[in-house]
Amino acid sequence: MRAATAREMREIDRIAINEYGIPGAVLMENAGGAVVRYLESIINPLADQRFCIFAGKGNNGGDGYVIARHLANQGAKVKVFLLGEKAAITGDARINLDILDKMNMDVIEVVSERDWDKVRVAATFADCLIDALLGTGFRGDVTGDMARMIDLIHAAGKLVVAVDIPSGVNADTGKICGKAVRASHTVTLGLPKPGLFLYPGADYTGELTVADIGIPTAIVAGQKIKQNILMAAAVRAILPQRSPDAHKGMNGRVALVAGSRGLSGAAAMAAAAALRAGAGLVTLAVPAEIQDILAVKLTEVMTRALAETASGTISQKALGEIASLTKDSDVLAIGPGLGRHEDTVAAVREIVKTAECPLVIDADALYALANYTGILTECAALPVLTPHPGEMGLLTGLSAEEVNGDRVQIARQAAGEWGSIVVLKGAHTVVAFPDGEVYINTTGNAGMATGGTGDALTGIIAAFVGQGMSSHDAAVAGVYIHGLAGDIAAQAGMVGMAATDLIKAMPAALYGMKNY
Ligand SMILES: NC(=O)C1=CN([C@@H]2O[C@H](COP(=O)(O)OP(=O)(O)OC[C@H]3O[C@@H](n4cnc5c(N)ncnc54)[C@H](O)[C@@H]3O)[C@@H](O)[C@H]2O)[C@H](O)CC1
Ligand SMILES: [K+]
């Protein structure tokens, strides 16, 4: 499902109005009507229910006036509070404000302290509060009276339904700009916005519904919108179909170069995840001194010993062995637990440049690419990088919080510069492609914030490439299924789940995707 930035949504509205001739007031009527239909689905009957509608000065507020009219017509008790003066209201919002006046509906301008008292009392006795303060026209930060109004909405402790976007949430990034409405439900209009799926904004959105407001689909198609919300249907369509007469040679030969002294677990989890994601044959190449450990940990996975440094990390002397391994493999995942020894780092750079099969590059292999991202364009196939925000910061020179401040744009820019697929892990994971397309994942939970889940994702994506998926599809499906497995594992307890629980849940996640 496409997700429009605020600017893209405003452009779509503009085209609908100015080029297709759909009056803005019709779009607004459709918007308000859609919100009321949603309200009916959660509060039934609407009659006699008490609603407080908080309207801003723009068209988001205009939606609020339409909502007020429809609610009143259904017998609900409605109070409308305008944060501003009626004289400042123009356009479609003004049309609907005037209709309320003609209906003798009370629209209270919140300007004096007495008005604030009225707001407080009304919110206290209301059954549901409607946030029609700010939508795609929101700029800057929430301060002053807008912040005061949001505090008051929260203080009432009532059901809150946000119109289009919870006011104060940045529609594009999900950032909270000063203060934002914590909605129980959000009815977003026309298309979803990325910020409703990106934290912390996703946390303020509540139950999300996308409302059709009658915008011709051709307008959306013509906008070349490049943000996508990753949903089950899209993933189900690309997962590999296993033929009934399959044999292990048909389901992918996955190679992994991973692990080092004290970091055998990362290698084990990546390899186990590849297996549990359906790979036919998995070979794990590790520094010689930990081969026995891995051989004991992993029954189905074949292990290989690699030449190592005195520190127990792979050395450049292993390059020949690794080259022959990649020749016989469909994909190579490299990085989990590799360590950052200079000899290892040099080996990783050589492997990235010369490997003859598609690469999934993670963890310490990403560390080796810091200041060397230029070599990614030499890869034989489109590589998949799976950085967490810290590793992304290492590769871009940004801090982790700067990365998280604009996850979509930063991942998109890196993918374009590096000619690679960038899987920027986190809540929610973002998958960015060199052509600018970005997918925002919708599965996963906070229980996955535990060591090893990143290693598992590497193994899963590698397994999907090994089973014949394009790197594009393997990255998208891998991220979704990884999160789904995490959601399944969390059913036995979100806090305290371990990465190995997620890995064990992989077959159930795959089964579920194909069977409902
Ligand atoms: N015809 C259409 O475009 C439709 C739009 N819909 C709804 O309208 C809003 C977008 O409306 P717009 O007037 O562009 O902006 P907003 O109402 O979101 O807010 C602008 C309003 O708020 C003030 N403002 C901006 N930033 C701040 C701030 N930081 N603090 C305080 N005030 C702020 C600004 O000055 C303006 O006065 C869209 O989301 C939909 O809800 C219809 O649904 C469909 C047709
Ligand atoms: K809003």
Side-chain angles (χ1 to χ4, degrees), residues 11-37:
E11 176 60 8
I12 288 170
D13 278 342
R14 186 196 64 77
I15 294 170
I17 295 165
N18 298 342
E19 295 178 23
Y20 279 64
I22 303 176
V26 168
L27 292 177
M28 192 167 282
E29 189 69 20
N30 294 345
V35 173
V36 172
R37 280 192 298 282

PDB file of all heavy atoms in Angstrom, residues 11-37:
ATOM      1  N   GLU A  11      -0.408  17.723  -2.854  1.00  0.00           N
ATOM      2  CA  GLU A  11      -0.371  17.804  -4.326  1.00  0.00           C
ATOM      3  C   GLU A  11      -1.513  16.981  -4.914  1.00  0.00           C
ATOM      4  O   GLU A  11      -2.179  17.408  -5.876  1.00  0.00           O
ATOM      5  CB  GLU A  11       0.977  17.312  -4.836  1.00  0.00           C
ATOM      6  CG  GLU A  11       1.133  17.245  -6.353  1.00  0.00           C
ATOM      7  CD  GLU A  11       0.963  18.591  -7.058  1.00  0.00           C
ATOM      8  OE1 GLU A  11       0.872  19.640  -6.383  1.00  0.00           O
ATOM      9  OE2 GLU A  11       0.898  18.584  -8.297  1.00  0.00           O
ATOM     10  N   ILE A  12      -1.768  15.833  -4.334  1.00  0.00           N
ATOM     11  CA  ILE A  12      -2.885  14.992  -4.803  1.00  0.00           C
ATOM     12  C   ILE A  12      -4.211  15.737  -4.609  1.00  0.00           C
ATOM     13  O   ILE A  12      -5.045  15.802  -5.517  1.00  0.00           O
ATOM     14  CB  ILE A  12      -2.887  13.636  -4.040  1.00  0.00           C
ATOM     15  CG1 ILE A  12      -1.723  12.767  -4.526  1.00  0.00           C
ATOM     16  CG2 ILE A  12      -4.217  12.912  -4.220  1.00  0.00           C
ATOM     17  CD1 ILE A  12      -1.487  11.539  -3.678  1.00  0.00           C
ATOM     18  N   ASP A  13      -4.365  16.348  -3.432  1.00  0.00           N
ATOM     19  CA  ASP A  13      -5.589  17.139  -3.182  1.00  0.00           C
ATOM     20  C   ASP A  13      -5.703  18.266  -4.216  1.00  0.00           C
ATOM     21  O   ASP A  13      -6.754  18.503  -4.802  1.00  0.00           O
ATOM     22  CB  ASP A  13      -5.528  17.766  -1.777  1.00  0.00           C
ATOM     23  CG  ASP A  13      -5.953  16.783  -0.687  1.00  0.00           C
ATOM     24  OD1 ASP A  13      -6.601  15.766  -1.031  1.00  0.00           O
ATOM     25  OD2 ASP A  13      -5.633  17.026   0.482  1.00  0.00           O
ATOM     26  N   ARG A  14      -4.557  18.930  -4.473  1.00  0.00           N
ATOM     27  CA  ARG A  14      -4.579  20.068  -5.405  1.00  0.00           C
ATOM     28  C   ARG A  14      -5.016  19.632  -6.796  1.00  0.00           C
ATOM     29  O   ARG A  14      -5.856  20.244  -7.439  1.00  0.00           O
ATOM     30  CB  ARG A  14      -3.193  20.720  -5.478  1.00  0.00           C
ATOM     31  CG  ARG A  14      -3.107  22.010  -6.302  1.00  0.00           C
ATOM     32  CD  ARG A  14      -1.687  22.397  -6.667  1.00  0.00           C
ATOM     33  NE  ARG A  14      -1.060  21.396  -7.545  1.00  0.00           N
ATOM     34  CZ  ARG A  14      -1.336  21.290  -8.849  1.00  0.00           C
ATOM     35  NH1 ARG A  14      -2.261  22.063  -9.417  1.00  0.00           N
ATOM     36  NH2 ARG A  14      -0.720  20.363  -9.591  1.00  0.00           N
ATOM     37  N   ILE A  15      -4.446  18.513  -7.258  1.00  0.00           N
ATOM     38  CA  ILE A  15      -4.795  18.015  -8.599  1.00  0.00           C
ATOM     39  C   ILE A  15      -6.267  17.629  -8.656  1.00  0.00           C
ATOM     40  O   ILE A  15      -6.987  17.952  -9.621  1.00  0.00           O
ATOM     41  CB  ILE A  15      -3.900  16.826  -8.978  1.00  0.00           C
ATOM     42  CG1 ILE A  15      -2.440  17.281  -9.134  1.00  0.00           C
ATOM     43  CG2 ILE A  15      -4.381  16.153 -10.273  1.00  0.00           C
ATOM     44  CD1 ILE A  15      -1.442  16.145  -9.266  1.00  0.00           C
ATOM     45  N   ALA A  16      -6.724  16.968  -7.597  1.00  0.00           N
ATOM     46  CA  ALA A  16      -8.135  16.543  -7.562  1.00  0.00           C
ATOM     47  C   ALA A  16      -9.044  17.759  -7.684  1.00  0.00           C
ATOM     48  O   ALA A  16     -10.042  17.732  -8.422  1.00  0.00           O
ATOM     49  CB  ALA A  16      -8.422  15.790  -6.263  1.00  0.00           C
ATOM     50  N   ILE A  17      -8.653  18.846  -7.020  1.00  0.00           N
ATOM     51  CA  ILE A  17      -9.503  20.041  -6.988  1.00  0.00           C
ATOM     52  C   ILE A  17      -9.328  20.872  -8.261  1.00  0.00           C
ATOM     53  O   ILE A  17     -10.280  21.180  -8.966  1.00  0.00           O
ATOM     54  CB  ILE A  17      -9.171  20.888  -5.743  1.00  0.00           C
ATOM     55  CG1 ILE A  17      -9.532  20.100  -4.458  1.00  0.00           C
ATOM     56  CG2 ILE A  17      -9.901  22.234  -5.767  1.00  0.00           C
ATOM     57  CD1 ILE A  17      -8.923  20.673  -3.185  1.00  0.00           C
ATOM     58  N   ASN A  18      -8.060  21.156  -8.584  1.00  0.00           N
ATOM     59  CA  ASN A  18      -7.817  22.132  -9.673  1.00  0.00           C
ATOM     60  C   ASN A  18      -7.817  21.511 -11.055  1.00  0.00           C
ATOM     61  O   ASN A  18      -8.137  22.161 -12.036  1.00  0.00           O
ATOM     62  CB  ASN A  18      -6.468  22.825  -9.453  1.00  0.00           C
ATOM     63  CG  ASN A  18      -6.473  23.607  -8.132  1.00  0.00           C
ATOM     64  OD1 ASN A  18      -7.544  23.890  -7.594  1.00  0.00           O
ATOM     65  ND2 ASN A  18      -5.299  23.900  -7.609  1.00  0.00           N
ATOM     66  N   GLU A  19      -7.447  20.237 -11.160  1.00  0.00           N
ATOM     67  CA  GLU A  19      -7.366  19.638 -12.511  1.00  0.00           C
ATOM     68  C   GLU A  19      -8.533  18.699 -12.795  1.00  0.00           C
ATOM     69  O   GLU A  19      -8.957  18.538 -13.924  1.00  0.00           O
ATOM     70  CB  GLU A  19      -6.023  18.906 -12.685  1.00  0.00           C
ATOM     71  CG  GLU A  19      -4.831  19.884 -12.635  1.00  0.00           C
ATOM     72  CD  GLU A  19      -3.484  19.175 -12.746  1.00  0.00           C
ATOM     73  OE1 GLU A  19      -3.442  18.039 -13.279  1.00  0.00           O
ATOM     74  OE2 GLU A  19      -2.482  19.740 -12.269  1.00  0.00           O
ATOM     75  N   TYR A  20      -9.045  18.052 -11.758  1.00  0.00           N
ATOM     76  CA  TYR A  20     -10.179  17.144 -11.985  1.00  0.00           C
ATOM     77  C   TYR A  20     -11.505  17.824 -11.675  1.00  0.00           C
ATOM     78  O   TYR A  20     -12.566  17.288 -11.950  1.00  0.00           O
ATOM     79  CB  TYR A  20     -10.019  15.887 -11.133  1.00  0.00           C
ATOM     80  CG  TYR A  20      -9.066  14.858 -11.735  1.00  0.00           C
ATOM     81  CD1 TYR A  20      -7.718  15.151 -11.913  1.00  0.00           C
ATOM     82  CD2 TYR A  20      -9.524  13.610 -12.153  1.00  0.00           C
ATOM     83  CE1 TYR A  20      -6.847  14.230 -12.471  1.00  0.00           C
ATOM     84  CE2 TYR A  20      -8.663  12.678 -12.713  1.00  0.00           C
ATOM     85  CZ  TYR A  20      -7.323  13.003 -12.870  1.00  0.00           C
ATOM     86  OH  TYR A  20      -6.466  12.075 -13.417  1.00  0.00           O
ATOM     87  N   GLY A  21     -11.391  18.990 -11.015  1.00  0.00           N
ATOM     88  CA  GLY A  21     -12.615  19.745 -10.766  1.00  0.00           C
ATOM     89  C   GLY A  21     -13.451  19.224  -9.615  1.00  0.00           C
ATOM     90  O   GLY A  21     -14.632  19.557  -9.494  1.00  0.00           O
ATOM     91  N   ILE A  22     -12.838  18.404  -8.759  1.00  0.00           N
ATOM     92  CA  ILE A  22     -13.606  17.955  -7.573  1.00  0.00           C
ATOM     93  C   ILE A  22     -13.517  19.073  -6.539  1.00  0.00           C
ATOM     94  O   ILE A  22     -12.427  19.375  -6.045  1.00  0.00           O
ATOM     95  CB  ILE A  22     -13.008  16.654  -6.988  1.00  0.00           C
ATOM     96  CG1 ILE A  22     -12.979  15.559  -8.054  1.00  0.00           C
ATOM     97  CG2 ILE A  22     -13.824  16.202  -5.771  1.00  0.00           C
ATOM     98  CD1 ILE A  22     -12.312  14.270  -7.599  1.00  0.00           C
ATOM     99  N   PRO A  23     -14.622  19.693  -6.196  1.00  0.00           N
ATOM    100  CA  PRO A  23     -14.558  20.785  -5.228  1.00  0.00           C
ATOM    101  C   PRO A  23     -13.925  20.319  -3.913  1.00  0.00           C
ATOM    102  O   PRO A  23     -14.224  19.207  -3.439  1.00  0.00           O
ATOM    103  CB  PRO A  23     -16.027  21.168  -5.027  1.00  0.00           C
ATOM    104  CG  PRO A  23     -16.730  20.674  -6.252  1.00  0.00           C
ATOM    105  CD  PRO A  23     -16.004  19.430  -6.656  1.00  0.00           C
ATOM    106  N   GLY A  24     -13.078  21.162  -3.353  1.00  0.00           N
ATOM    107  CA  GLY A  24     -12.449  20.817  -2.076  1.00  0.00           C
ATOM    108  C   GLY A  24     -13.488  20.499  -1.025  1.00  0.00           C
ATOM    109  O   GLY A  24     -13.302  19.609  -0.190  1.00  0.00           O
ATOM    110  N   ALA A  25     -14.615  21.203  -1.102  1.00  0.00           N
ATOM    111  CA  ALA A  25     -15.682  20.980  -0.112  1.00  0.00           C
ATOM    112  C   ALA A  25     -16.245  19.556  -0.232  1.00  0.00           C
ATOM    113  O   ALA A  25     -16.667  18.961   0.765  1.00  0.00           O
ATOM    114  CB  ALA A  25     -16.787  22.005  -0.311  1.00  0.00           C
ATOM    115  N   VAL A  26     -16.187  18.991  -1.473  1.00  0.00           N
ATOM    116  CA  VAL A  26     -16.663  17.605  -1.640  1.00  0.00           C
ATOM    117  C   VAL A  26     -15.678  16.654  -0.972  1.00  0.00           C
ATOM    118  O   VAL A  26     -16.068  15.726  -0.261  1.00  0.00           O
ATOM    119  CB  VAL A  26     -16.810  17.279  -3.146  1.00  0.00           C
ATOM    120  CG1 VAL A  26     -17.013  15.779  -3.355  1.00  0.00           C
ATOM    121  CG2 VAL A  26     -17.954  18.078  -3.747  1.00  0.00           C
ATOM    122  N   LEU A  27     -14.380  16.906  -1.189  1.00  0.00           N
ATOM    123  CA  LEU A  27     -13.376  16.057  -0.528  1.00  0.00           C
ATOM    124  C   LEU A  27     -13.532  16.150   0.984  1.00  0.00           C
ATOM    125  O   LEU A  27     -13.445  15.159   1.698  1.00  0.00           O
ATOM    126  CB  LEU A  27     -11.979  16.495  -0.941  1.00  0.00           C
ATOM    127  CG  LEU A  27     -11.581  16.245  -2.404  1.00  0.00           C
ATOM    128  CD1 LEU A  27     -10.191  16.805  -2.671  1.00  0.00           C
ATOM    129  CD2 LEU A  27     -11.634  14.761  -2.758  1.00  0.00           C
ATOM    130  N   MET A  28     -13.762  17.373   1.450  1.00  0.00           N
ATOM    131  CA  MET A  28     -13.905  17.578   2.893  1.00  0.00           C
ATOM    132  C   MET A  28     -15.155  16.862   3.410  1.00  0.00           C
ATOM    133  O   MET A  28     -15.130  16.246   4.473  1.00  0.00           O
ATOM    134  CB  MET A  28     -13.972  19.074   3.192  1.00  0.00           C
ATOM    135  CG  MET A  28     -13.829  19.424   4.650  1.00  0.00           C
ATOM    136  SD  MET A  28     -13.545  21.177   4.873  1.00  0.00           S
ATOM    137  CE  MET A  28     -11.813  21.299   4.447  1.00  0.00           C
ATOM    138  N   GLU A  29     -16.239  16.949   2.620  1.00  0.00           N
ATOM    139  CA  GLU A  29     -17.485  16.250   3.008  1.00  0.00           C
ATOM    140  C   GLU A  29     -17.235  14.745   3.069  1.00  0.00           C
ATOM    141  O   GLU A  29     -17.638  14.059   4.004  1.00  0.00           O
ATOM    142  CB  GLU A  29     -18.588  16.554   1.971  1.00  0.00           C
ATOM    143  CG  GLU A  29     -19.956  16.072   2.371  1.00  0.00           C
ATOM    144  CD  GLU A  29     -20.523  16.864   3.552  1.00  0.00           C
ATOM    145  OE1 GLU A  29     -20.047  17.982   3.815  1.00  0.00           O
ATOM    146  OE2 GLU A  29     -21.412  16.330   4.227  1.00  0.00           O
ATOM    147  N   ASN A  30     -16.506  14.239   2.081  1.00  0.00           N
ATOM    148  CA  ASN A  30     -16.190  12.798   2.090  1.00  0.00           C
ATOM    149  C   ASN A  30     -15.323  12.447   3.297  1.00  0.00           C
ATOM    150  O   ASN A  30     -15.504  11.401   3.926  1.00  0.00           O
ATOM    151  CB  ASN A  30     -15.449  12.418   0.802  1.00  0.00           C
ATOM    152  CG  ASN A  30     -16.324  12.556  -0.431  1.00  0.00           C
ATOM    153  OD1 ASN A  30     -17.550  12.671  -0.314  1.00  0.00           O
ATOM    154  ND2 ASN A  30     -15.708  12.566  -1.611  1.00  0.00           N
ATOM    155  N   ALA A  31     -14.380  13.334   3.609  1.00  0.00           N
ATOM    156  CA  ALA A  31     -13.483  13.086   4.740  1.00  0.00           C
ATOM    157  C   ALA A  31     -14.266  13.032   6.049  1.00  0.00           C
ATOM    158  O   ALA A  31     -14.166  12.063   6.815  1.00  0.00           O
ATOM    159  CB  ALA A  31     -12.417  14.182   4.810  1.00  0.00           C
ATOM    160  N   GLY A  32     -15.072  14.050   6.264  1.00  0.00           N
ATOM    161  CA  GLY A  32     -15.859  14.106   7.496  1.00  0.00           C
ATOM    162  C   GLY A  32     -16.819  12.923   7.590  1.00  0.00           C
ATOM    163  O   GLY A  32     -16.950  12.293   8.648  1.00  0.00           O
ATOM    164  N   GLY A  33     -17.438  12.596   6.474  1.00  0.00           N
ATOM    165  CA  GLY A  33     -18.383  11.466   6.467  1.00  0.00           C
ATOM    166  C   GLY A  33     -17.682  10.161   6.789  1.00  0.00           C
ATOM    167  O   GLY A  33     -18.189   9.331   7.547  1.00  0.00           O
ATOM    168  N   ALA A  34     -16.467  10.005   6.258  1.00  0.00           N
ATOM    169  CA  ALA A  34     -15.714   8.759   6.507  1.00  0.00           C
ATOM    170  C   ALA A  34     -15.361   8.637   7.987  1.00  0.00           C
ATOM    171  O   ALA A  34     -15.430   7.558   8.568  1.00  0.00           O
ATOM    172  CB  ALA A  34     -14.436   8.753   5.654  1.00  0.00           C
ATOM    173  N   VAL A  35     -15.007   9.746   8.595  1.00  0.00           N
ATOM    174  CA  VAL A  35     -14.668   9.705  10.030  1.00  0.00           C
ATOM    175  C   VAL A  35     -15.897   9.325  10.847  1.00  0.00           C
ATOM    176  O   VAL A  35     -15.818   8.491  11.756  1.00  0.00           O
ATOM    177  CB  VAL A  35     -14.096  11.065  10.503  1.00  0.00           C
ATOM    178  CG1 VAL A  35     -13.905  11.061  12.026  1.00  0.00           C
ATOM    179  CG2 VAL A  35     -12.767  11.358   9.796  1.00  0.00           C
ATOM    180  N   VAL A  36     -17.044   9.880  10.477  1.00  0.00           N
ATOM    181  CA  VAL A  36     -18.263   9.561  11.247  1.00  0.00           C
ATOM    182  C   VAL A  36     -18.656   8.095  11.054  1.00  0.00           C
ATOM    183  O   VAL A  36     -19.052   7.414  12.001  1.00  0.00           O
ATOM    184  CB  VAL A  36     -19.409  10.516  10.857  1.00  0.00           C
ATOM    185  CG1 VAL A  36     -20.730  10.092  11.493  1.00  0.00           C
ATOM    186  CG2 VAL A  36     -19.052  11.937  11.289  1.00  0.00           C
ATOM    187  N   ARG A  37     -18.476   7.585   9.854  1.00  0.00           N
ATOM    188  CA  ARG A  37     -18.773   6.153   9.644  1.00  0.00           C
ATOM    189  C   ARG A  37     -17.846   5.304  10.512  1.00  0.00           C
ATOM    190  O   ARG A  37     -18.253   4.310  11.110  1.00  0.00           O
ATOM    191  CB  ARG A  37     -18.609   5.784   8.164  1.00  0.00           C
ATOM    192  CG  ARG A  37     -19.799   6.170   7.305  1.00  0.00           C
ATOM    193  CD  ARG A  37     -19.754   5.549   5.933  1.00  0.00           C
ATOM    194  NE  ARG A  37     -18.577   5.980   5.163  1.00  0.00           N
ATOM    195  CZ  ARG A  37     -18.490   7.165   4.557  1.00  0.00           C
ATOM    196  NH1 ARG A  37     -19.500   8.034   4.654  1.00  0.00           N
ATOM    197  NH2 ARG A  37     -17.423   7.501   3.865  1.00  0.00           N
TER     198      ARG A  37
END
